[in-house]
Amino acid sequence: NLSSKLQETFRRLRGKGKLTEKDVNTALREVRLALLEADVNFKVVKDFVATVKERCLGSEVLESLTPGQMVIKIVNEELTKLMGESVAKLKPADKPPTIIMLVGLQGSGKTTTVAKLANHLKKANHSPLLVAADVYRPAAIKQLQVLGEQLKLPVFQMGQQNPVQIARAAVEQAKKNHNDYVLVDTAGRLHVDEELMDELVQMEEALQPQEILLVVDAMTGQDAVTVAESFKNRLGLTGIVLTKLDGDTRGGAALSVRAVTGCPIKFVGLGEKTDAFEPFYPDRMASRILG
Amino acid sequence: LFTRQNFDEDFFAELEEILIAADVGIETTLELVEKLRDKIREEKLKAPEQVLAALKSLILDILGRDPVPLQLEHKPTVILVLGVNGVGKTTTIGKLAARFTAEGKKVLLAAGDTFRAAAIEQLEIWAQRSHSDIIKHQQGADPSAVIFDGVAAAAARGADVLLCDTAGRLHNKANLMAELKKVYRVVDKALPGAPHEVLLVLDATTGQNSLAQAKVFNEAAPLTGVVLTKLDGTAKGGIVIAVARQLKIPVKFVGVGEGIDDLQPFDPVAYVESIFT
Ligand SMILES: Nc1nc2c(ncn2[C@@H]2O[C@H](COP(=O)(O)OP(=O)(O)OP(=O)(O)O)[C@@H](O)[C@H]2O)c(=O)[nH]1
Ligand SMILES: Nc1nc2c(ncn2[C@@H]2O[C@H](COP(=O)(O)OP(=O)(O)OP(=O)(O)O)[C@@H](O)[C@H]2O)c(=O)[nH]1
Ligand SMILES: [Mg+2]
Ligand SMILES: [Mg+2]
């Protein structure tokens, strides 16, 4: 792993006297490789390594008796700092209902996450309304209905109508039935699909939601930056949900998405069941990425 | 990049970035660039266009230059479709079914995902759209039982192709991989020699984890091909180069959208071009 690679690098360099900038560059090459293997976007890696390098050229590393350990400590600190704090809170509306849109690429885990978020809110004594606004994918509405039934939570649907109209009607129903949260499941879409991205812009405009959460598959590769940037440019994203973290991916997409959107990663998906849902822990993610 | 005159370290660094950005992976990228340096020396390449052509040629040495078709001579040909959650298995089956029915083939689908909410209903819609029949049990049934029935029905009804859908599963879940091994054995029991094709569906937006997926799925059910989906996005799915190199598994189809016609046979030459555009 990176820790042992750095120890080895510095063990070899130590023999030749005082550490130089060139030696630090050799060590940082290991950091770069580790982050690229972990799927962190190469531009994000460049910026991150530059930040780490600045700190590594100080006496804290150059005059250390264990420079390898110092570099690892600095990398861990900078990575954890970039990951942000543990912010598993949702921003409530001044007057209920609090409206949350879930958006993202096809298959990232939005529908399942809507159910998990609803379950999480129900356990905290809220009364969420799930909204089936994916009118494109075969049996998408049915999928959300089945999940709602499992959780004994209401699912609003209007069949295959305009998604923005469905969401607006859902908010009206929530007000009537005193649901304090409205969770809108949207269809998966490509960030480069102008028409479907416009649909989300219209939905944001119509609903004025308190939260727009970008649902990202933890195994996403280099494309994470392009996707996150596009969604951030068009919508008022307020947070990220990282799914399928129960897999064995190092999850570098988390760093890429954080670096490029500045949004907090609020929750993680850890399985297919509706209770496989946790707050995001930045330090755990940092050590996972470093492998 | 390709208007330069000399091949200095910046030149190779930029080439590396193109490959890394395409999710080729750092290990495969470094190997390719190393081979490229040798080629430049040995063939005394001077022009940047020659170097780019050489790199494309090295990648095609790994991917193969000709499309690899599906083995469809058996009747029924049994095709098992597997992969992690959300990559596009069910949709790909719908697209493949439509391709076969358009060729006049009799197609049967087996609803082997008995776990996920509305998975069976989703496949039923694809059966209708592609004019194929479907074998299904109730939600929560044993997937092996459904697929066994699918094989029996395909043989009994004289179907040309049976496409078996399976539940998405992460490859690091031992119990789910054991379930998949059982499905594979059951298919062979039901029809010796089947499945004739075992297709791993990989999402082009996934990074290095696709290689781990290919390795582990291959151990549970020897893979005959890959379907690379969601290439209509901006991701290039370059990890298939490592999959081809390390496991010798060819990409047979690519998914380029959510519609029934959005499936194309994999064209290695066109694919390699797309990495550099
Ligand atoms: N293992 C695991 N599977 C997950 C997780 N979240 C979602 N899934 C699975 O991923 C697959 C896709 O989930 P969906 O909720 O249908 O994804 P989606 O984003 O709504 O998909 P589209 O609506 O088609 O864009 C399903 O098989 C889910 O069970 C997770 O945290 N862990
Ligand atoms: N843009 C695009 N979307 C695709 C493609 N293939 C599948 N999808 C979409 O990806 C999402 C997931 O597809 P599914 O077919 O449900 O994936 P799956 O692997 O069967 O999912 P699970 O059974 O839950 O594991 C759906 O929204 C599909 O429409 C493709 O080639 N391009
Ligand atoms: Mg969905
Ligand atoms: Mg499926």
Side-chain angles (χ1 to χ4, degrees):
Chain A
N1 64 11
L2 181 61
S3 197
S4 47
K5 286 204 191 120
L6 286 178
Q7 311 274 35
E8 180 55 21
T9 303
F10 281 107
R11 195 189 60 77
R12 279 184 281 114
L13 295 173
R14 218 52 251 264
K16 30 196 276 309
K18 196 163 186 303
L19 281 180
T20 62
E21 171 167 358
K22 186 163 178 298
D23 297 334
V24 169
N25 280 340
T26 305
L28 290 180
R29 187 167 179 278
E30 293 297 339
V31 175
R32 176 176 173 262
L33 287 179
L35 293 176
L36 287 175
E37 281 171 354
D39 282 327
V40 181
N41 180 274
F42 76 99
K43 296 195 208 111
V44 173
V45 173
K46 237 185 200 157
D47 294 341
F48 180 79
V49 171
T51 305
V52 167
K53 177 171 175 175
E54 239 180 284
R55 281 189 61 184
C56 286
L57 292 181
S59 57
E60 108 191 88
V61 169
L62 296 181
E63 294 172 14
S64 164
L65 289 173
T66 53
Q69 287 181 26
M70 277 313 297
V71 173
I72 270 286
K73 175 169 168 298
I74 291 171
V75 169
N76 240 304
E77 282 176 9
E78 291 300 324
L79 201 51
T80 307
K81 207 193 301 167
L82 239 184
M83 280 302 163
E85 306 122 33
S86 192
V87 187
K89 292 197 238 78
L90 295 167
K91 182 170 179 298
D94 300 327
K95 265 174 83 259
T98 297
I99 305 173
I100 304 180
M101 280 169 55
L102 280 87
V103 305
L105 295 182
Q106 290 89 346
S108 56
K110 297 173 295 298
T111 304
T112 309
T113 300
V114 166
K116 290 176 177 181
L117 191 51
N119 188 36
H120 170 85
L121 289 166
K122 175 181 176 184
K123 289 200 264 191
N125 293 317
H126 292 286
S127 59
L129 175 66
L130 290 71
V131 183
D134 177 355
V135 305
Y136 307 108
R137 167 173 157 154
I141 295 172
K142 185 85 214 271
Q143 184 185 2
L144 196 63
Q145 285 176 320
V146 170
L147 292 169
E149 265 167 52
Q150 288 174 7
L151 296 173
K152 309 230 191 325
L153 289 173
V155 174
F156 182 92
Q157 60 88 17
M158 271 168 51
Q160 288 167 319
Q161 303 295 325
N162 178 304
V164 179
Q165 306 307 349
I166 295 173
R168 293 177 72 182
V171 172
E172 292 316 304
Q173 173 168 309
K175 287 176 181 162
K176 287 204 192 80
N177 296 350
H178 307 293
N179 297 105
D180 61 346
Y181 274 87
V182 174
L183 308 179
V184 186
D185 184 23
T186 66
R189 69 205 62 218
L190 294 177
H191 49 303
V192 292
D193 186 325
E194 285 300 328
E195 205 176 318
L196 286 184
M197 291 304 287
D198 284 344
E199 180 186 276
L200 285 183
V201 172
Q202 290 166 30
M203 191 180 288
E204 175 175 12
E205 180 75 11
L207 301 184
Q208 300 289 315
Q210 279 63 45
E211 297 264 5
I212 302 184
L213 303 178
L214 179 65
V215 178
V216 177
D217 189 324
M219 344 171 203
T220 307
Q222 297 290 307
D223 205 40
V225 157
T226 319
V227 173
E229 259 172 352
S230 307
F231 274 87
K232 179 96 173 90
N233 287 342
R234 310 271 345 248
L235 303 170
L237 291 187
T238 59
I240 313 279
V241 179
L242 207 57
T243 61
K244 308 179 203 172
L245 221 47
D246 46 320
D248 60 8
T249 182
R250 298 256 294 272
L255 181 59
S256 303
V257 173
R258 265 296 289 166
V260 118
T261 65
C263 288
I265 300 177
K266 300 207 169 189
F267 297 102
V268 299
L270 288 167
E272 297 192 65
K273 302 221 172 79
T274 49
D275 57 5
F277 192 64
E278 274 187 17
F280 171 72
Y281 296 110
D283 49 354
R284 284 189 207 170
M285 195 72 222
S287 46
R288 177 176 180 145
I289 289 177
L290 289 179
Chain B
L1 174 70
F2 293 101
T3 54
R4 293 172 189 265
Q5 297 299 20
N6 59 332
F7 310 132
D8 56 6
E9 283 318 300
D10 281 351
F11 174 82
F12 288 107
E14 275 187 53
L15 268 185
E16 282 183 18
E17 284 190 351
I18 294 177
L19 295 176
I20 291 177
D23 282 315
V24 170
I26 185 74
E27 185 184 322
T28 307
T29 295
L30 293 178
E31 283 176 20
L32 282 170
V33 171
E34 204 47 38
K35 284 212 184 99
L36 185 62
R37 287 175 198 266
D38 293 342
K39 234 181 195 278
I40 291 174
R41 235 189 341 267
E42 290 163 10
E43 299 176 17
K44 303 203 171 43
L45 301 180
K46 289 285 181 302
E49 308 81 59
Q50 290 178 309
V51 174
L52 182 56
L55 179 55
K56 290 178 184 174
S57 175
L58 286 172
I59 298 174
L60 286 171
D61 288 344
I62 297 172
L63 290 179
R65 284 170 172 73
D66 302 314
V68 182
L70 289 176
Q71 296 300 330
L72 297 170
E73 313 87 42
H74 294 93
K75 187 170 158 112
T77 290
V78 179
I79 302 177
L80 192 58
V81 178
L82 28 95
V84 303
N85 307 70
V87 293
K89 299 177 291 302
T90 306
T91 306
T92 297
I93 286 175
K95 295 171 181 177
L96 280 170
R99 254 179 106 76
F100 296 139
T101 55
E103 293 168 3
K105 294 198 165 77
K106 184 171 163 67
V107 180
L108 192 55
L109 309 184
D113 181 355
T114 57
F115 170 75
R116 206 209 68 212
I120 298 172
E121 288 84 342
Q122 183 186 6
L123 191 66
E124 279 185 296
I125 293 173
W126 281 109
Q128 288 162 24
R129 287 180 179 181
S130 62
H131 309 293
S132 46
D133 288 328
I134 182 166
I135 296 293
K136 57 177 176 136
H137 290 190
Q138 74 283 7
Q139 184 79 4
D142 176 4
S144 293
V146 183
I147 293 190
F148 183 93
D149 275 3
V151 178
R157 301 181 195 182
D160 296 301
V161 186
L162 171 71
L163 288 154
C164 305
D165 195 10
T166 60
R169 69 201 67 224
L170 294 181
H171 53 289
N172 56 324
K173 310 238 161 142
N175 58 326
L176 297 182
M177 295 313 286
E179 177 185 87
L180 190 61
K181 278 198 183 98
K182 179 167 172 234
V183 165
Y184 185 80
R185 275 201 314 274
V186 160
V187 171
D188 180 51
K189 262 220 187 85
L191 182 66
H196 308 103
E197 286 277 353
V198 180
L199 300 178
L200 176 69
V201 180
L202 294 176
D203 186 330
T205 67
T206 299
Q208 300 307 295
N209 198 251
S210 282
L211 182 58
Q213 293 171 22
K215 287 184 177 154
V216 177
F217 273 92
N218 193 38
E219 284 162 21
L223 305 173
T224 60
V226 163
V227 178
L228 184 62
T229 60
K230 309 180 196 173
L231 271 182
D232 45 318
T234 48
K236 311 274 183 170
I239 193 68
V240 297
I241 299 170
V243 171
R245 187 166 160 301
Q246 297 187 28
L247 302 173
K248 309 278 179 280
I249 299 167
V251 179
K252 295 199 172 181
F253 287 96
V254 296
V256 294
E258 302 190 69
I260 201 162
D261 295 325
D262 293 329
L263 186 76
Q264 297 165 2
F266 180 65
D267 175 352
V269 174
Y271 174 73
V272 173
E273 286 298 317
S274 75
I275 291 181
F276 295 96
T277 45

